[in-house]
């Protein structure tokens, strides 16, 4: 086909085309398509919202909490805030009626506390909300009750199944058993993730097929344990401070495998930590005990819940327009009373004392393990007045397994009360206190020890103090008057006992988890370094391959 130039007869005269009309017509067609798409998403959203509203109350609570916690920042970034809901014995009670505006149509809903405004990216936001509601419906179709008590350690099998058996020859083994055994010129056998045998070189024969690690000029020390850690999970998701007590929150959902914080921790010989929320509220949620190794959350988790985190005072005073100890203690007490009543209702049903099965409540169900004594409450407590309240309220009246966390400043003044209640004390990260009345510097750990409190450990509050500097905290405590061997015990055996996991970690004994570090000397000596770390029988850090420090 031959193309010819248009002649002047059939060429449209310049300036006669309706260019603006053409552009407007195309733009109108584009807007029509976008509006049709938005209406399609609106119909889907409305159907899902109707289903969500018909769900069980507990799922409505989860959905409402999810929205308020800003898991969809683009959708809620410009929303108007309303007064928060308050925790009641039946869940969350909205403090004000909320509105939802979807694609220009207003719908009143008492289960929401935010106003969603239209935006240019509304279809994409509606898509994200649809996905979120779809996940919610899946949970509704297959409700899974929160697990309380220890998680079966068999979940860590994948981290040990392919680990070759090890024979580690060292110059000294700090066993950390009840007899405070130390073995010189020793061999430790590891198989299937646990300690298979240990003893002097002339007492232990190395079987065929075992990989030999020759570190005869070094020390083998149980893996270090920190009872107060925030770096095992996502810091941005760890502190949801929406209520003065937040009994339904858990750090289990924040755990991040193979993060930089995890890798650095194990390079410092730290093998197990308790990941807990912060102390901005009196009750910030349940902590999780994790190993510092594992390709997935299931492989890392040692026990969930690991503890309940309570901050008796010291930070929660900022809440709302400011609260004092009187209201904080009342509010913490009434939350624990509701949890105790919930546990007693279930206990009566399980023992056959009643035929009425209590309604499952995800907010208070994890408390059952706490009330039953299966895991402790770890308490952010500091000055002596606050420590007294902790001992009286939690240990004496509620009879909870209590672990004092921080317990700094002049908290050691109530050592007789702590000793009487047989409470574990984990000091840190402050290791000294200047007494202005005496014009004297006190070592906190040393003063606790002098007061007779020997169930004494050390923490870092990482990242307040970097996790790998846990032994430096103990060294500082010794500088201010504590003793080196109790300090080393306060990094291993004592925190394991405090968290009720001493049957698996905290010492080098046959049958326990093969978690240990190989050090150039005493870990309390700042000149010493961790050269190799083993967790669940697998080498997870080797300075000869890649040194971190």
């Amino acid at each position: 086909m031959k193309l010819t130039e248009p002649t002047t007869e059939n060429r449209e005269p310049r300036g006669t085309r309706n260019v603006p009309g053409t552009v407007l017509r195309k733009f109108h067609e584009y807007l029509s398509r976008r509006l049709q798409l938005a209406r399609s998403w609106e119909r889907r959203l409305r159907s899902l919202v109707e289903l969500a509203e018909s769900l069980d109350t507990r799922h409505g609570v989860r959905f409402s909490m999810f929205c308020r916690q800003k898991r969809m920042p683009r959708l809620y970034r410009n929303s108007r805030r309303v007064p928060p809901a308050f925790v009641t014995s039946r869940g969350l009670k909205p403090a004000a009626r909320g509105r939802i505006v979807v694609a220009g149509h207003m719908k009143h809903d008492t289960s929401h506390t935010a106003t969603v405004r239209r935006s240019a990216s509304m279809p994409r936001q509606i898509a994200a909300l649809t996905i979120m509601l779809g996940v919610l419906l899946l949970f509704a179709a297959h409700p899974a009750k929160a697990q309380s008590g220890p998680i079966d350690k068999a979940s860590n099998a994948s981290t040990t199944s392919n680990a070759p058996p090890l024979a580690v020859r060292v110059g000294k083994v700090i066993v950390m058993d009840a007899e405070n055994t130390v073995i010189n010129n020793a061999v430790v056998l590891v198989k299937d993730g646990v300690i298979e045998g240990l003893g002097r070189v002339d007492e232990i024969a190395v079987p065929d097929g075992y990989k030999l690690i020759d570190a005869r000029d070094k020390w083998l020390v149980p893996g270090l344990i920190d009872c107060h850690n925030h770096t095992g999970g996502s810091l941005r998701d760890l502190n949801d401070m929406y209520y003065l007590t937040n009994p339904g929150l858990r750090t289990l959902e924040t755990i991040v495998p193979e993060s930089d914080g995890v890798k650095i921790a194990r390079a410092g010989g730290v093998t197990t930590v308790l990941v807990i929320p912060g102390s901005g509220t009196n009750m910030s949620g349940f902590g999780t005990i994790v190993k510092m190794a594992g390709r997935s959350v299931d492989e890392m988790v040692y026990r969930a819940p690991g503890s309940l985190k309570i901050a008796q005072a010291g930070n929660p005073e900022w809440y709302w327009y400011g609260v004092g100890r009187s209201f904080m203690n009342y509010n913490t007490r009434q939350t624990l009373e509701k949890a105790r009543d919930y546990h007693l209702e279930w206990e009566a049903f399980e023992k056959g004392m009643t035929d009425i099965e209590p309604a499952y409540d995800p907010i208070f169900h994890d408390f059952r393990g706490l009330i039953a004594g299966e895991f402790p409450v770890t308490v952010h407590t500091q000055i002596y007045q606050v420590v007294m309240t902790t001992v009286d309220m939690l240990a004496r009246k509620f009879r909870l397994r209590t672990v004092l966390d921080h317990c700094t400043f002049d908290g050691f003044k109530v050592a007789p009360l702590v000793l009487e209640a047989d409470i574990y004390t984990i000091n840190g990260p402050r290791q000294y206190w200047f007494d202005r009345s005496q014009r004297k510097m006190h070592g906190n750990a040393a003063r606790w020890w002098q007061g007779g409190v020997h169930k004494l450990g050390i923490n870092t509050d990482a990242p307040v103090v970097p996790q790998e500097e846990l032994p430096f905290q103990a060294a500082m405590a010794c500088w201010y008057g504590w003793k080196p061997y109790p300090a080393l015990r306060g990094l291993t055996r004592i925190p394991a006992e405090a968290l009720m996991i001493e049957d698996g970690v905290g010492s080098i004994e046959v049958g326990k988890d093969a978690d240990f570090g190989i050090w150039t000397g005493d870990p309390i000596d700042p000149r010493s370094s961790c050269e190799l770390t083993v967790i669940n029988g697998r080498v997870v850090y080797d300075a000869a391959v890649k040194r971190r420090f």
Side-chain angles (χ1 to χ4, degrees), residues 9 69 302 348 429 497:
E9 288 78 11
Q69 290 167 5
Y302 190 84
E497 293 177 355

Side-chain angles (χ1 to χ4, degrees), residues 470-508:
L470 180 59
F472 295 166
Q473 286 291 101
M476 187 182 300
C478 292
W479 173 264
Y480 285 104
W482 203 18
K483 300 179 180 180
Y485 185 78
L488 186 55
R489 194 174 179 84
L491 302 180
T492 53
R493 177 97 184 188
I494 294 298
E497 293 177 355
L499 297 179
M500 306 172 66
I501 55 175
E502 70 275 13
D503 59 333
V505 296
S507 61
I508 307 298

Side-chain angles (χ1 to χ4, degrees), residues 70-92:
K70 299 184 180 180
R71 292 298 183 265
M72 296 180 62
R74 290 183 58 84
L75 189 60
Y76 292 93
R77 183 176 299 154
N78 297 321
S79 62
R80 293 194 295 269
R81 298 290 300 274
V82 301
F86 296 93
V87 177
T88 68
S89 60
R90 294 299 179 185
L92 298 179

